Amino acid sequence: MATNIGMMDSAYFVGRSEILAWINSTLHLNLSKVEEACSGAVHCQLMDAAHPGMVPMHKLNFNAKNEYEMIQNYKVLQDVFNKLKITKHIEVNKLIKGRPLDNLEFMQWLKRYCDCVNGGLMNNYNPSERREACKGGKELSKKSAPSQPLSRSSAAAPKHSSHNGRRMETPNASAGSSLSVKTARPSSSGGSSSHSESEKTMFEQQIVELKISVDNLEKERDFYFAKLRDIEIFCQTPGIENTPVVEAIKRILYSADDDDPSMVEEAEVMISKSQQVKQLDIIVEEAEEKLKADPQKRKTIINVDVDAASGNSSSPRQRISEASDVHCSESPLISY
């Protein structure tokens, strides 16, 4: 299953246009942006389409505008994940903000999951009928419904105009001139039609190629933007947020002019200054350690002097006796 797919998986390279087309075709909606589904109700109904009857639709609110209303929808989605034992983490705080990239990533994962369930086939699922039990579901279905009748009426309109045109042409056409014009037109129209068809096919091929290139560019843009976002989140880690290297990275990330080489130079200067400051801190620490060691040496010297002085401090009577002993020992009158 798609519960644990990596950032390099092909699911995260699906473009916005493909995601929007999948949502609108599955749920019969007219979303123009992926972030319009940030309320969480669309996510829940997509899970209901993949697992019919699993989602309590009466608890959803398609008119959710405030964050506390959106959180209720995401609680329903989390309950469904728990029932299905899906370990995907829902970053509610980011999704309810309506950020395009966060909502796109979650929709990419959800599309991958729905594609893995029954091969993405959702037969006999009526999204409009399922939304009738939701708050704001009927209004949403009515808003998305007029697009289909309009296309039918617009397709039927040319037929009526063509019939009217034919009716208007027949009474005004004369016998001789109309035949000559009619015989001349097919030859000219035949050449122009073949030429126009070749041009049409060529333009269609160019349009397809441009769409493919645009989708690839969007995938590449979203991929590198996601990497930069991961670096930004990493730089906000409390333990390393204020380190010089992280500050230099932030300086480059938040620079307004991409072509300005001075930003890289400033970042290098910041790192070199930080290294100099570290060296100075090391020198100061060594000096402080030496200062702490010197008083101990002084104490030992003072203790030795005190011991020597205490050894020399004797009473006068003892000194006289010691001196007499010396003189007596040196006297020739004493014999042993």
Side-chain angles (χ1 to χ4, degrees), residues 301-314:
I301 293 170
I302 290 170
N303 292 330
V304 171
D305 294 338
V306 169
D307 294 336
S310 62
N312 293 329
S313 61
S314 59

Side-chain angles (χ1 to χ4, degrees), residues 145-197:
S147 62
Q148 296 176 354
L150 286 175
S151 61
R152 291 178 182 176
S153 61
S154 62
K159 294 182 180 179
H160 293 290
S161 62
S162 62
H163 288 298
N164 293 330
R166 289 177 183 176
R167 290 177 183 176
M168 292 297 292
E169 285 177 0
T170 51
N172 293 330
S174 60
S177 61
S178 62
L179 291 173
S180 62
V181 172
K182 288 179 181 178
T183 53
R185 280 179 182 174
S187 61
S188 61
S189 62
S192 62
S193 63
S194 61
H195 184 65
S196 62
E197 287 179 357

Side-chain angles (χ1 to χ4, degrees), residues 46-64:
L46 288 171
M47 291 298 297
D48 184 70
H51 302 279
M54 183 64 68
V55 180
M57 298 295 291
H58 64 279
K59 294 183 180 180
L60 300 181
N61 184 4
F62 280 89
N63 289 334

Side-chain angles (χ1 to χ4, degrees), residues 36-55:
E36 291 179 4
C38 64
S39 65
V42 174
H43 305 89
C44 291
Q45 191 171 11
L46 288 171
M47 291 298 297
D48 184 70
H51 302 279
M54 183 64 68
V55 180

